[in-house]
Amino acid sequence: MADDFIQILDDDDNELTPVDGKHSSVPVTSDCSAEPWVIGIIDDELSVHEATIFALKNVTLYDRPLVFYSAYSAKEGFELIKSYPEMALILLDVVMESDNAGLELVDRIRNELNNALVQIVLRTGQAGYAPEEEVIIRYEINSYKTKTELTRKKLFTVLAAGLRSFQQLRTIEQSRDGLRAIVDASASLMQERFVFEFSSGVLTQIDALFDLASESLFCVSQRPAQAPIDSSKCKDGYYVVAADTKYSKYFGCNIKDIQRELPIMVKALQALEQKQHVFTEDVSCLYLSTPSGWEGVIVATGKVCLATADQELLQIFCMNVALGLENAKFFSHLNKAAFHDELTNLYNRAGLIEEGIQYCQLNRTKCTLYLIDIDYFHHFIASLGYELGNAILQKVADILRQLFGKNTIIARVHSDAYAVIVADATLSANEVAVRCSRPIVLEGQSIRIGLTVGTSSLSYSDESSPDIGILLRRAEMALNVAKEQKRGSGEVFDEAYEIASRKSMTLLSDFRIGIDQQELFLVLQPKVGGVEHQVIGFEALLRWKHPKKGMIPPGAFIASVEKSGMHYELDLYVARALCDIINANPEVAVPISFNISANSLNHESFVNELHKVFTQNNVELDKVEVEVTENALIHSELAISRLNSLVDKGFVICLDDFGAGFSSLSYLLRLPLTTIKIDRAFVANITSNSESLTIIRGIIEIIQSLKKDVIVEGVENEEQLALLKGLGVEKIQGFYFYKPMLVEKALALLSR
């Protein structure tokens, strides 16, 4: 039948027979001798009765037919239910002789008739009369539906669920005393989180529940996670995960391997193969199965036979044990997922902290944590792909296992970082880096990996609890220092690192506030040119006046801002501040340059956002220049592409600090540069070092040959200026002429 609203047609054979003001309907199930389900329909609309009975005509649920009894008011309904205490389910209208007639009837069913088993499904034709959730819970209403919701398919589903619940509740009611014992036992068992612990609890409970005295074993399929069983012995099969004293030596054994030595295992295998209980005079084997496919068998031996026990109670017990086994199995699975790294089978970060505490408490000594990072791992991924990258991670895990052995805690705490906790460690951070940095062979090719290591140690008394989080955090600080200053080597944590880290965090917090409060401002350093050294432009430099700490130099916060990821926001802040200066001083005819971060160039929206700042503020792009450091372009094709996009938008690009980093002359051919600024490092020694002078002469000649403008920064005395003039340099920036100054003072120079 189609799943749409039920339409009632006139039918002379609708099988409805009035009985004492009520209607009953028995579907045609002449071939079914089972006791029918008694269903009550209480509704003041005759069509609802007819539609319901018609829709469920000839339906059999759980091998039993349905019989319907009808009432047309709450008063009639109460008498009907009173007359049929075996009624399993009621389809009850909410609004009948009054708006709450249905709810009032529910109250009488539960409290006056003390009928807690019958399943009640509320129906109403008016969605607005939905009862409150508190009412549904108070009266144990099983479902609430509008009448238009109850299509044939949904009506069938509601009935099936309700009858199943009723059947289960009645079975439970009939075995109340036995069930109470099972519930008490199950509550105790459910506290056991792992399979082997749960299984041991089952053996303790089974004798008490059935008043037996037996010697028992508990076997399950597969080796459960977290069970103390030798994994080298475990393959596919069924293993003893709990045993009484008599059979304790078989713990962890595959039952097929011990069936000759222990003949009762033959019966256990029989129960597993037949998937049913097996009872003999001396052995009782209870078969268990879980929804996900795990199987188990409880073997009780001695002068006992569970075949004589209450079989219904026994079945409920087995069902509870199976569900408890499943619960324990899933907990073991979740525990493994929560605390282990799937790729390497090492602990993960959470597992390191969890197990590290127990490890340190057990050893009660000085523990050292090594934090080991694979150098340039992202390059391996880019070159070799993720599959070979995963193989590298597994190889490194094997190397660490070989180096540190079993009595340690080894974890993969990050994509390419590992942590090892060792008691009374003898290896230094540098020794670990050297020993682990070795060639590995993957798919026939040798790949040499380098590692950088940070370490921290922790001593504690018997009364104190080791804080693995602190140990890990300090090792991370040491690792960061090693990666910045001596990659491929090792570094030991120093208290100064933590002090610096706290200062950095405080500084960043203040910086975020400073951005919001506009505490940061720009100063201008003039650039001069020509014979008379006139001002030909300015460089905008950032300054920060903290309300309590006063002036904070850029060197104290720029590096931290870069690492924190706030560079993007800061660059746009500087651009907006520069627009304010230009708009406030429209007479300025020389360009003002400003610096952008290397990392901002890697941001997808940076070019458009930067351009938008100037267009929204109506600032012509010929009034500004963008300065970018050479180091920003190393190994970054994306950055070069973004520079070309800036030029396409109309920006002029100046390469700042040329020669200070990993200079590559090929960049001069590839970059859309107008101006190249030579770093101050070349100027400092030109008056005393002929080699420095030779180098800067060569750089200037190359730049001039490429038809690019040259600016030399860092000029601080007359002698330096004279040498640079002799090399043909016309544009100078340095303290010899001007230091950075307030905007008003700098712009006043233009009027001279």
Side-chain angles (χ1 to χ4, degrees), residues 96-373:
M96 291 181 286
E97 58 262 50
S98 68
D99 289 347
N100 293 315
L103 293 178
E104 292 171 356
L105 177 58
V106 173
D107 183 68
R108 297 188 69 190
I109 293 169
R110 298 302 190 206
N111 295 315
E112 290 185 36
L113 298 180
N114 292 316
N115 189 335
L117 298 183
V118 65
Q119 304 295 288
I120 300 174
V121 178
L122 288 183
R123 302 195 295 185
T124 182
Q126 304 176 54
Y129 282 93
E132 298 290 337
E133 291 181 2
E134 184 271 333
V135 174
I136 292 176
I137 295 172
R138 184 200 315 164
Y139 296 124
E140 299 180 36
I141 297 168
N142 303 95
S143 184
Y144 171 80
K145 304 288 182 183
T146 62
K147 294 177 182 179
T148 54
E149 282 185 281
L150 283 177
T151 62
R152 181 185 188 279
K153 186 180 294 185
K154 292 182 179 178
L155 184 60
F156 179 86
T157 302
V158 168
L159 237 66
L163 294 179
R164 183 177 183 86
S165 297
F166 175 80
Q167 186 179 38
Q168 291 174 339
L169 287 173
R170 188 166 65 173
T171 300
I172 292 172
E173 183 72 16
Q174 291 170 347
S175 302
R176 183 186 307 168
D177 294 338
L179 179 65
R180 182 176 294 111
I182 289 175
V183 169
D184 291 342
S186 298
S188 174
L189 291 173
M190 288 297 180
Q191 296 176 15
E192 303 298 346
R193 303 189 301 176
F194 300 115
V195 173
F196 73 96
E197 294 172 339
F198 173 83
S199 306
S200 300
V202 169
L203 300 186
T204 303
Q205 296 291 346
I206 188 171
D207 291 348
L209 284 172
F210 297 101
D211 194 22
L212 303 173
S214 66
E215 294 155 340
S216 307
L217 303 97
F218 194 143
C219 314
V220 296
S221 63
Q222 306 171 359
R223 181 177 69 92
Q226 302 298 322
I229 300 175
D230 185 357
S231 59
S232 64
K233 299 178 181 178
C234 294
K235 301 177 182 177
D236 293 336
Y238 300 87
Y239 294 84
V240 177
V241 294
D244 283 350
T245 304
K246 180 179 178 180
Y247 300 113
S248 60
K249 68 177 182 178
Y250 299 109
F251 180 77
C253 294
N254 188 320
I255 64 176
K256 287 187 177 181
D257 296 337
I258 61 175
Q259 58 181 322
R260 289 187 179 181
E261 182 180 349
L262 194 62
I264 59 173
M265 289 295 100
V266 175
K267 295 298 180 183
L269 288 169
Q270 180 184 341
L272 291 165
E273 290 170 359
Q274 297 176 355
K275 301 186 184 304
Q276 63 183 16
H277 304 322
V278 172
F279 300 120
T280 67
E281 183 178 352
D282 296 328
V283 180
S284 293
C285 298
L286 299 181
Y287 172 75
L288 309 169
S289 64
T290 69
S292 67
W294 268 34
E295 294 178 297
V297 59
I298 303 172
V299 183
T301 65
K303 295 297 181 180
V304 58
C305 182
L306 288 176
T308 60
D310 184 331
Q311 290 302 296
E312 190 171 18
L313 191 60
L314 183 64
Q315 189 62 32
I316 296 173
F317 172 75
C318 290
M319 179 180 69
N320 275 269
V321 171
L323 292 175
L325 177 62
E326 187 81 333
N327 178 69
K329 185 208 73 168
F330 277 123
F331 188 92
S332 294
H333 175 75
L334 292 174
N335 180 75
K336 184 173 178 63
F339 296 108
H340 289 77
D341 174 51
E342 184 178 359
L343 178 65
T344 62
N345 205 31
L346 299 173
Y347 289 108
N348 58 19
R349 191 184 188 97
L352 174 80
I353 294 174
E354 179 83 7
E355 295 297 322
I357 293 174
Q358 299 179 23
Y359 175 85
C360 292
Q361 289 175 335
L362 180 64
N363 287 278
R364 296 202 175 280
T365 183
K366 179 180 180 181
C367 285
T368 297
L369 187 147
Y370 298 91
L371 190 60
I372 303 156
D373 182 83

Side-chain angles (χ1 to χ4, degrees), residues 527-644:
K527 303 173 186 178
V528 301
V531 178
E532 298 181 0
H533 302 141
Q534 295 177 328
V535 175
I536 59 171
F538 299 96
E539 180 180 4
L541 301 170
L542 190 65
R543 295 293 183 265
W544 178 13
K545 186 175 183 180
H546 192 281
K548 294 182 179 179
K549 301 175 183 178
M551 294 299 297
I552 300 178
F557 65 87
I558 292 297
S560 296
V561 170
E562 287 279 350
K563 291 179 181 179
S564 71
M566 295 183 66
H567 47 79
Y568 179 88
E569 182 181 355
L570 180 60
D571 284 351
L572 296 181
Y573 179 94
V574 169
R576 286 189 287 268
L578 181 55
C579 288
D580 292 340
I581 292 173
I582 294 173
N583 286 329
N585 301 276
E587 72 281 0
V588 176
V590 296
I592 303 176
S593 65
F594 67 102
N595 292 277
I596 61 172
S597 165
N599 293 315
S600 292
L601 285 173
N602 294 321
H603 200 290
E604 185 176 359
S605 63
F606 178 71
V607 172
N608 290 331
E609 289 298 321
L610 185 65
H611 183 255
K612 186 188 296 184
V613 169
F614 289 97
T615 55
Q616 288 180 342
N617 286 279
N618 298 315
V619 173
E620 298 295 332
L621 295 184
D622 60 0
K623 292 188 175 184
V624 298
E625 291 181 354
V626 175
E627 292 196 16
V628 58
T629 59
E630 179 188 8
N631 286 346
L633 309 174
I634 298 300
H635 305 303
S636 179
E637 294 296 327
L638 180 61
I640 296 174
S641 173
R642 296 280 160 75
L643 283 182
N644 281 298

Side-chain angles (χ1 to χ4, degrees), residues 452-470:
T452 302
V453 181
T455 67
S456 64
S457 298
L458 188 67
S459 299
Y460 56 94
S461 64
D462 291 348
E463 293 77 20
S464 64
S465 178
D467 193 327
I468 305 301
I470 291 178

Side-chain angles (χ1 to χ4, degrees), residues 20 55 61 86-87 96 109 279 336 341 350 389 396 422 511 516 528 586 627 658 695 727:
D20 297 332
L61 283 169
E86 72 277 19
M87 187 173 291
M96 291 181 286
I109 293 169
F279 300 120
K336 184 173 178 63
D341 174 51
V396 172
V422 182
F511 181 80
D516 293 337
V528 301
E627 292 196 16
F658 180 77
I695 292 174
L727 296 177

